Amino acid sequence: MQINLKPVFVNKAPSSTLAINEDVQKRWASGKRVLHMGFGESRFAVHEKLQRALQAHACAKSYMPSQGLPELREAVAAYYSDKHHLLFNADQVLIGPGSKALIYALQLALDADLFLPSPSWVSYAPQAELLGSRIFYVPSRVDDGYSFDLKAFAVTLEQSSNPNKLLILNSPNNPTGHMWSESSLRELAEFCREHNILVISDEIYFLVEHGKVKHKSIAKFYPEGTFILGGLSKHLSIGGWRVGVALLPDSESGKLLMQAVKVIASEIWSSVAAPIQYAALQAYSHDPEIEAYIKTCSRIHGIRTKFLYQKLTELGISCTKPLGAFYLTANFDAWADPLREIGVESSAQLARYLLDQHDLATLSTDAFGIPEKTLSLRLATSYLDMEKDEDSQRLTSLLASGVSEQEFMSEANHPNTHAAIGEFEKFVERCNDAYTSAARAL
């Protein structure tokens, strides 16, 4: 039997983040050593109250409304109203099987060209490609830490003839760890309002902040044109539960879009699993113990990510400074010449080289919209020394014991993190030695 695929699927690869994780899991299963920085999955234990809530509703077997369990939508609206200092109601909330599906549904419903900051999360653009939408990346510079340039955005907009335009923001950011400041969001909001640009604000990491900068949503300054996306996967380490939330504007346009996305939901996923939705009520209940747990986990993410940033910059590796989430983007253009001599001329080739020669699993940034010739990699800190379920409890208990951050990040407590830094050090030494040898040959 012959199968004919639609053109968009010819030579289309699965998500690079999922692909690297599957590759690492296979290598681990075969007994190979891999220092895993390729996949961003928060590895903390599921809070006991969430476990009990799921167990208590295991017998909930009926279909839920496509928009979501009414009580859960009420809870989500109240939770985001409190956290964002805005007013949301249950009619603005949609519950979906992860924020990824909801972002896709919004893109499917909207007839718009898509604009993405460079870099942006790996699935935004492929979703648009599957839908046949045009995609425009707003260029940024590695020497400016990949910060968003409003002037570059204005120039990029001129490339689109479609009057309908959609921008996706992500703060805290995957892959850089950056967070948008209030002043920058206010300026962007004014620009988007003036040019009638809709905004998907992907805030899946909004509770994983490191303490230096507080999360702000562009919805505070542009409520009529912003769609907030979130979920439970990052700050509560339950990505596999697939709970996503969308909050749409409380306007006629927002209601029109909600109706369209409800149609999509009803025809594709029907509803999120009933036991999961009932359990999620506990997550959005403002429970003091769960809120304290979120802060503890976020603090640990911050300590670990900032430690890696500090050690890599000491080696001379240029990195984006992380303020939230558990990522940073590292650039290796300083060693472009010696790397070229060994056949490494793109970020994908660099990632493969580090995996094969140094056991370092990283993610090339071409999938994030950075030109492939730029030697940048996304590094995730969430898996290192949390490879096993019991590791997270060990580290959580260790921090609760009152140890200093320095002791917490010692080699005894974080052996794989130190091993990864050691491999980067060997890599840098090789590159520097190649430079020295080339200079002597002249």
Side-chain angles (χ1 to χ4, degrees):
M1 180 179 67
Q2 182 177 354
I3 296 177
N4 297 314
L5 297 177
K6 293 181 177 180
V8 69
F9 291 103
V10 176
N11 298 321
K12 192 74 174 175
S15 168
S16 59
T17 54
L18 299 178
I20 186 63
N21 191 49
E22 291 174 7
D23 187 5
V24 169
Q25 298 295 335
K26 289 178 182 177
R27 288 171 182 256
W28 277 342
S30 65
K32 294 181 179 179
R33 175 201 191 219
V34 183
L35 300 164
H36 195 4
M37 292 181 287
F39 189 58
E41 178 185 19
S42 187
R43 301 284 297 160
F44 292 99
V46 179
H47 195 280
E48 290 183 358
K49 286 192 173 181
L50 295 180
Q51 293 183 42
R52 291 198 296 268
L54 183 59
Q55 292 166 355
H57 294 94
C59 293
K61 61 182 181 179
S62 295
Y63 286 96
M64 296 286 101
S66 294
Q67 191 171 343
L69 180 68
E71 303 98 297
L72 179 56
R73 291 191 288 110
E74 290 278 2
V76 170
Y79 194 83
Y80 274 80
S81 295
D82 176 66
K83 297 293 185 181
H84 285 55
H85 305 290
L86 295 169
L87 185 60
F88 298 102
N89 62 68
D91 290 337
Q92 294 175 256
V93 177
L94 179 74
I95 310 298
S99 61
K100 180 188 286 189
L102 291 171
I103 293 171
Y104 183 78
L106 287 170
Q107 291 202 63
L108 176 59
L110 294 167
D111 178 19
D113 285 350
L114 178 64
F115 291 82
L116 297 173
S118 173
S120 285
W121 182 51
V122 296
S123 287
Y124 300 145
Q127 286 186 354
E129 290 172 359
L130 293 176
L131 296 170
S133 301
R134 296 186 70 192
I135 305 157
F136 300 89
Y137 277 99
V138 180
S140 60
R141 303 197 320 272
V142 63
D143 58 355
D144 196 27
Y146 295 114
S147 61
F148 187 80
D149 187 335
L150 194 56
K151 292 181 180 179
F153 185 29
V155 172
T156 306
L157 286 175
E158 296 175 358
Q159 302 173 29
S160 169
S161 58
N162 189 337
N164 304 312
K165 297 175 174 62
L166 174 66
L167 171 69
I168 300 184
L169 299 184
N170 177 214
S171 179
N173 182 260
N174 177 3
T176 65
H178 284 169
M179 292 178 68
W180 279 74
S181 68
E182 182 170 338
S183 60
S184 296
L185 286 173
R186 190 187 300 273
E187 184 180 19
L188 179 61
E190 293 174 358
F191 181 89
C192 289
R193 180 178 291 111
E194 179 183 351
H195 293 84
N196 195 34
I197 299 167
L198 298 175
V199 177
I200 290 178
S201 184
D202 183 357
E203 303 178 18
I204 192 69
Y205 296 96
F206 92 94
L207 290 172
V208 189
E209 52 189 16
H210 298 170
K212 296 292 185 182
V213 177
K214 293 297 181 182
H215 171 78
K216 299 293 182 182
S217 174
I218 192 173
K220 179 178 180 181
F221 313 108
Y222 188 37
E224 73 275 19
T226 300
F227 319 127
I228 297 176
L229 274 294
L232 301 178
S233 61
K234 309 305 180 183
H235 62 281
L236 284 171
S237 304
I238 48 177
W241 284 27
R242 309 312 301 140
V243 179
V245 300
L247 294 93
L248 306 187
D250 186 19
S251 63
E252 288 304 315
S253 296
K255 293 174 183 176
L256 184 66
L257 179 58
M258 178 65 78
Q259 184 59 36
V261 179
K262 284 169 61 178
V263 170
I264 294 168
S266 69
E267 300 297 348
I268 297 179
W269 62 77
S270 298
S271 64
V272 175
I276 295 292
Q277 291 200 59
Y278 281 111
L281 276 168
Q282 185 71 50
Y284 288 110
S285 68
H286 291 93
D287 184 291
E289 291 182 20
I290 294 178
E291 293 298 298
Y293 188 61
I294 292 170
K295 290 182 179 179
T296 296
C297 295
S298 296
R299 184 186 173 200
I300 293 174
H301 281 310
I303 293 170
R304 287 155 49 87
T305 307
K306 286 183 284 188
F307 181 81
L308 181 65
Y309 166 80
Q310 176 187 343
K311 294 302 180 181
L312 293 185
T313 52
E314 288 174 0
L315 292 174
I317 300 171
S318 175
C319 299
T320 56
K321 187 174 183 178
L323 297 173
F326 28 82
Y327 309 104
L328 56 85
T329 298
N331 179 261
F332 300 86
D333 284 347
W335 297 282
D337 290 341
L339 287 171
R340 190 178 300 110
E341 293 299 318
I342 59 173
V344 174
E345 300 185 59
S346 69
S347 60
Q349 291 170 343
L350 177 58
R352 175 54 58 181
Y353 177 83
L354 290 174
L355 182 58
D356 292 342
Q357 300 298 319
H358 293 275
D359 302 326
L360 293 167
T362 64
L363 201 60
S364 63
T365 53
D366 55 330
F368 294 86
I370 296 175
E372 64 178 353
K373 294 299 182 181
T374 302
L375 299 177
S376 289
L377 301 171
R378 189 201 72 173
L379 310 180
T381 60
S382 54
Y383 243 104
L384 285 174
D385 296 300
M386 286 199 182
E387 292 85 356
K388 299 178 181 178
D389 290 342
E390 56 266 28
D391 293 333
S392 66
Q393 185 58 55
R394 173 181 63 84
L395 291 175
T396 303
S397 299
L398 177 64
L399 189 66
S401 71
V403 299
S404 65
E405 292 187 3
Q406 181 178 2
E407 175 62 21
F408 181 76
M409 290 306 306
S410 67
E411 187 170 2
N413 293 319
H414 278 83
N416 288 339
T417 299
H418 282 265
I421 293 166
E423 291 299 328
F424 276 115
E425 185 174 9
K426 292 176 186 177
F427 167 76
V428 170
E429 288 176 353
R430 285 184 182 180
C431 290
N432 289 339
D433 288 345
Y435 263 135
T436 301
S437 299
R440 288 172 179 170
L442 293 176

